[in-house]
Amino acid sequence: MIKASKEIKLYAYLGFLLSVLAYVLIQLYIKSKLPQISWTASDWLINYQDGGFKRRGLSGSFLFFIQDQFHISLQMQIFCIQAIFIGLILYFLIRLILAKKINWDILLLICSPLCLLYLPVNVFNSGRKEIVLLALVLFFMYGKSTQFKKYLLFGGFILGLFLHELFYFYLPFVMAVYILKTKKTDVKYLGSLFLASTLVITFLFFFGGEINQGQSIEILNNRGIELSKWNIFTYDAVEERKNMLLAYQSYILFALELFFMTFLSFFFVKKYLPQHKNAFKIFILISMAWVSPLYYLGADWFRWNHIYSFLLIILIISALPDNNGKRFCIEGKFNIPLSIVIVLFFIVFYLHIQYDTSGNSAEYLLDFIESKLH
């Protein structure tokens, strides 16, 4: 009777995750039908046609090729890519959960607004290129370790650098998942991955052109794309850094949110994986130092926090003991105090996102809260 009750609860939890997936895909589909596109889609449309080789241009040129050959609109192509990779993220996450001796604490942490629930909370920025990195890591961690997976992880990560340089700042996670999965430190593989990715990122830095070489908007207009005011091609990194200083309260809160999520994750490790406590402590220090330049280079701190937190949770799940039984294994009771913490964290993050994406306007946030209360 008890086992059946636990299974029912787990099925309900998985049903909740699937409802989140459905909501996100519906919202992204609606966005693909809007007359104007903004951040979510424009990032995929950076291309080599405007000025030749540049940073992040691989995806746009590939989408242009598909449009020319098969006459599929760019908006629909982007939605299909987003749907496929977000679907893969959820599929491999669920399979990874079912393959481990799981407990309610980690299931609740997965529902943090910096992990899976980031997608519905921040649909404005969901579906960007980091979904490729998350899907790649989850695919590698699920199931048996094979040579194909090793080659795909290596090649996929290097190729991902041509989609977005942010992949490089999460290199410690890719190395860590390889060590966790293979249960060995393959110096040749890890050294080659580090060297190849560093050479690529150096090449992009010195020889990669700017995202917009002056003709991108015109090229996209000719291909049926109308951009909204806020999009990747009008982004000014220098101006954005000045705005970050003006809105320092918001960015302090972003930093606190990341440290809070990291604290919850480490507390879980200390409680359930004490044998890995020191290893995770060292890894967190190294990975935070490695990713820190990204917080200077880009203003999307909520995205950087989301990627970091999600990858950290994947690592923790992967370190849990395997479930070798035929039944799903969920241990312990539902953690009510932690669920309350996650709900409060969700509310704070949700309101913070409204404040930040409205141009750091306290007046907008108050109006937004008042409109919801009425």
Side-chain angles (χ1 to χ4, degrees), residues 169-170 241 244 251 254-255 258 288 291-309:
F169 296 97
Y170 297 96
R241 291 189 192 106
M244 287 167 60
Y251 287 90
F254 280 134
L258 176 61
M288 279 199 166
V291 79
S292 59
L294 189 58
Y295 286 79
Y296 169 76
L297 296 170
D300 294 349
W301 284 24
F302 44 86
R303 285 177 65 205
W304 317 149
N305 289 354
H306 159 62
I307 302 167
Y308 187 94
S309 300

Side-chain angles (χ1 to χ4, degrees), residues 324-353:
N324 297 318
K326 293 182 179 180
R327 286 181 176 271
F328 304 142
C329 184
I330 180 168
E331 301 174 336
K333 296 182 180 180
F334 186 83
N335 192 330
I336 295 177
L338 181 59
S339 66
I340 294 172
V341 169
I342 294 298
V343 169
L344 292 176
F345 187 19
F346 179 93
I347 294 171
V348 170
F349 183 79
Y350 177 77
L351 295 176
H352 184 195
I353 285 296

Side-chain angles (χ1 to χ4, degrees), residues 44-313:
W44 291 95
L45 296 174
I46 302 167
N47 57 84
Y48 298 142
Q49 276 73 358
D50 176 24
F53 181 75
K54 65 174 69 170
R55 298 177 295 118
R56 313 183 197 177
L58 180 62
S59 58
S61 291
F62 175 76
L63 296 178
F64 288 177
F65 173 79
I66 297 298
Q67 185 184 39
D68 293 338
Q69 296 298 316
F70 302 102
H71 308 291
I72 303 173
S73 70
L74 295 173
Q75 296 97 318
M76 184 51 59
Q77 288 187 66
I78 293 170
F79 168 72
C80 289
I81 291 173
Q82 292 169 334
I84 290 170
F85 278 100
I86 292 176
L88 288 174
I89 288 170
L90 193 62
Y91 174 77
F92 289 120
L93 178 63
I94 290 174
R95 295 303 298 265
L96 184 61
I97 289 172
L98 298 179
K100 295 291 181 177
K101 292 182 178 179
I102 212 76
N103 60 63
W104 280 109
D105 287 6
I106 194 68
L107 294 179
L108 288 171
L109 289 178
I110 291 170
C111 292
S112 158
L114 288 186
C115 292
L116 197 64
L117 290 193
Y118 169 90
L119 298 174
V121 171
N122 194 20
V123 175
F124 179 78
N125 270 291
S126 295
R128 297 182 69 175
K129 293 178 178 177
E130 56 266 23
I131 60 177
V132 177
L133 176 62
L134 295 174
L136 181 65
V137 169
L138 278 166
F139 173 72
F140 183 79
M141 293 308 296
Y142 162 70
K144 295 181 180 180
S145 176
T146 63
Q147 286 298 115
F148 171 73
K149 282 188 173 183
K150 293 177 183 178
Y151 291 137
L152 184 64
L153 181 68
F154 192 108
F157 185 78
I158 298 301
L159 190 65
L161 295 172
F162 294 94
L163 296 177
H164 202 301
E165 314 92 291
L166 70 81
F167 278 52
Y168 186 73
F169 296 97
Y170 297 96
L171 177 60
F173 285 96
V174 178
M175 291 182 164
V177 298
Y178 181 88
I179 294 171
L180 258 178
K181 187 64 179 178
T182 61
K183 295 181 173 58
K184 63 180 181 180
T185 304
D186 188 337
V187 177
K188 182 179 179 181
Y189 182 95
L190 297 174
S192 298
L193 180 62
F194 172 79
L195 181 61
S197 58
T198 301
L199 288 174
V200 169
I201 207 72
T202 302
F203 182 78
L204 288 169
F205 179 79
F206 286 105
F207 300 103
E210 293 298 320
I211 289 171
N212 185 359
Q213 299 279 38
Q215 302 297 319
S216 286
I217 295 176
E218 181 180 347
I219 290 171
L220 291 173
N221 285 339
N222 293 334
R223 289 180 172 271
I225 293 293
E226 183 178 351
L227 297 167
S228 66
K229 179 181 178 182
W230 307 110
N231 65 80
I232 193 66
F233 299 104
T234 57
Y235 178 72
D236 186 335
V238 175
E239 185 65 25
E240 193 65 32
R241 291 189 192 106
K242 294 178 182 178
N243 293 335
M244 287 167 60
L245 293 175
L246 295 175
Y248 68 91
Q249 302 100 323
S250 181
Y251 287 90
I252 289 174
L253 185 53
F254 280 134
L256 292 175
E257 288 164 354
L258 176 61
F259 289 133
F260 180 65
M261 186 62 204
T262 305
F263 168 78
L264 290 178
S265 301
F266 184 73
F267 184 78
F268 177 91
V269 171
K270 188 176 179 181
K271 183 178 179 180
Y272 295 101
L273 295 166
Q275 70 276 23
H276 295 300
K277 181 182 67 174
N278 291 333
F280 268 95
K281 185 187 296 183
I282 294 170
F283 174 78
I284 287 171
L285 292 174
I286 292 173
S287 59
M288 279 199 166
W290 190 266
V291 79
S292 59
L294 189 58
Y295 286 79
Y296 169 76
L297 296 170
D300 294 349
W301 284 24
F302 44 86
R303 285 177 65 205
W304 317 149
N305 289 354
H306 159 62
I307 302 167
Y308 187 94
S309 300
F310 207 154
L311 288 173
L312 184 59
I313 290 296

